Amino acid sequence: MPPKAPRLPVRIWQCRARGALLGLYAWLAGVAPAISDTAISARFTEPTDRYAHGVLGDDIEYGALEIKTSNAASQGLLIQPVYKYSTITIKLPLDRVFEDLEPRIVDIDQDGTSEVIVVESSVYEGAQLAIYDSRGEKIAATPHIGTRFRWLAPVGAADLDGDGNVEIAYVDRPHLAKTLRIWRFENGKLTEIASLPNLTNHRIGEDFISSGLNDCSDTPELILVNGNWTRIISVSHVNEWATTDLGPFTGPKSLKRAMTC
């Protein structure tokens, strides 16, 4: 078996929530809010070579997702909560793998508890973006791209258009279609709301994704690269979706500079 693919540790995606202070206000008012299980970390396990796409530098992908959860239960009014931890594992059937670098922790429905976003691939239909809750249930997913060995590369998640819902952005087939797709999570469903051409964030064989979310101002920006890897492009929404040329792309350091507040 080829060596295990390098995978980055999980990082919490920035995700704006208008109700973020609700819990604080409830405590100040002397009412303990109900707290449910929330995902606090996640990692891929059970490396496998059953889907030898190799887009991330080798033939190793993952057959399982392990999610660590926390539950805080209060015994009474304004009493210090007691945290209980547990771990659940989602095992995929043999015709699927997690074809990804890392799970992403996001409060996608803005209820104060976090979910996990991953890239999940079918050996018949290619990749899809999937969301799992803290119980290990897949609560939403985009359609599969449609054929094996077709992939997507996540960019970021936030309320990108100011409507109060979280949007998730990814590049559909970053080596072929090079199309940025933006999906809104609302009422338990993902709906595609925008697509922009000639944008990418990954080259075949790289074990990293060249994009991210710049959340330095009131308007979040998606930072990517144009289709021929010469320019750094920002995508944001004010009255409509717009792209801005931020300058030449000369490697990862130039992209990091573009994402620095």
Side-chain angles (χ1 to χ4, degrees):
M1 178 179 292
K4 180 179 177 181
R7 295 294 190 255
L8 301 177
V10 64
R11 294 190 298 270
I12 296 179
W13 273 12
Q14 290 175 306
C15 184
R16 297 181 175 192
R18 292 183 177 181
L21 295 180
L22 179 60
L24 175 60
Y25 294 152
W27 279 105
L28 293 177
V31 178
I35 304 177
S36 301
D37 285 345
T38 184
I40 58 173
S41 67
R43 67 187 184 110
F44 296 124
T45 62
E46 298 188 9
T48 177
D49 59 0
R50 66 182 183 238
Y51 186 64
H53 188 189
V55 71
L56 294 170
D58 58 30
D59 291 339
I60 303 301
E61 302 306 337
Y62 293 92
L65 170 66
E66 184 180 280
I67 302 174
K68 184 176 181 179
T69 67
S70 173
N71 177 280
S74 172
Q75 283 88 32
L77 202 60
L78 295 179
I79 293 178
Q80 182 70 28
V82 176
Y83 292 91
K84 298 180 180 179
Y85 300 95
S86 60
T87 300
I88 61 170
T89 300
I90 299 101
K91 293 180 179 287
L92 293 178
L94 294 180
D95 62 352
R96 295 196 180 201
V97 296
F98 293 109
E99 189 179 15
D100 204 351
L101 291 168
E102 59 177 353
R104 298 152 189 87
I105 307 296
V106 175
D107 182 1
I108 193 69
D109 53 7
Q110 304 187 79
D111 66 349
T113 62
S114 295
E115 289 75 40
V116 181
I117 298 176
V118 294
V119 179
E120 185 175 323
S121 293
S122 161
V123 301
Y124 306 111
E125 299 179 288
Q128 67 172 179
L129 195 81
I131 304 171
Y132 285 87
D133 66 15
S134 60
R135 296 167 296 183
E137 296 181 7
K138 186 189 287 188
I139 60 172
T142 63
H144 288 276
I145 289 173
T147 188
R148 67 188 278 111
F149 297 160
R150 296 295 181 266
W151 189 62
L152 61 87
V155 180
D159 181 0
L160 298 174
D161 59 3
D163 71 336
N165 298 298
V166 173
E167 283 79 39
I168 307 173
Y170 66 76
V171 177
D172 175 3
R173 291 159 290 172
H175 325 112
L176 297 171
K178 300 181 180 181
T179 300
L180 176 69
R181 299 194 184 278
I182 301 173
W183 295 72
R184 176 181 294 137
F185 185 85
E186 186 176 15
N187 298 323
K189 297 180 181 179
L190 284 168
T191 303
E192 186 175 1
I193 61 170
S195 63
L196 289 82
N198 195 35
L199 294 168
T200 189
N201 62 348
H202 186 263
R203 288 184 278 208
I204 292 176
E206 292 182 339
D207 62 353
F208 57 91
I209 292 174
S210 298
S211 62
L213 174 67
N214 188 333
D215 202 14
C216 299
S217 65
D218 291 337
T219 304
E221 297 177 278
L222 301 170
I223 309 297
L224 306 98
V225 184
N226 68 346
N228 63 6
W229 290 87
T230 59
R231 311 296 296 180
I232 299 173
I233 305 297
S234 163
V235 177
S236 60
H237 185 280
V238 180
N239 296 316
E240 60 184 13
W241 297 101
T243 60
T244 302
D245 190 319
L246 300 182
F249 174 80
T250 57
K253 289 184 179 179
S254 64
L255 196 69
K256 184 178 180 179
R257 286 193 297 270
M259 296 181 61
T260 301
C261 296

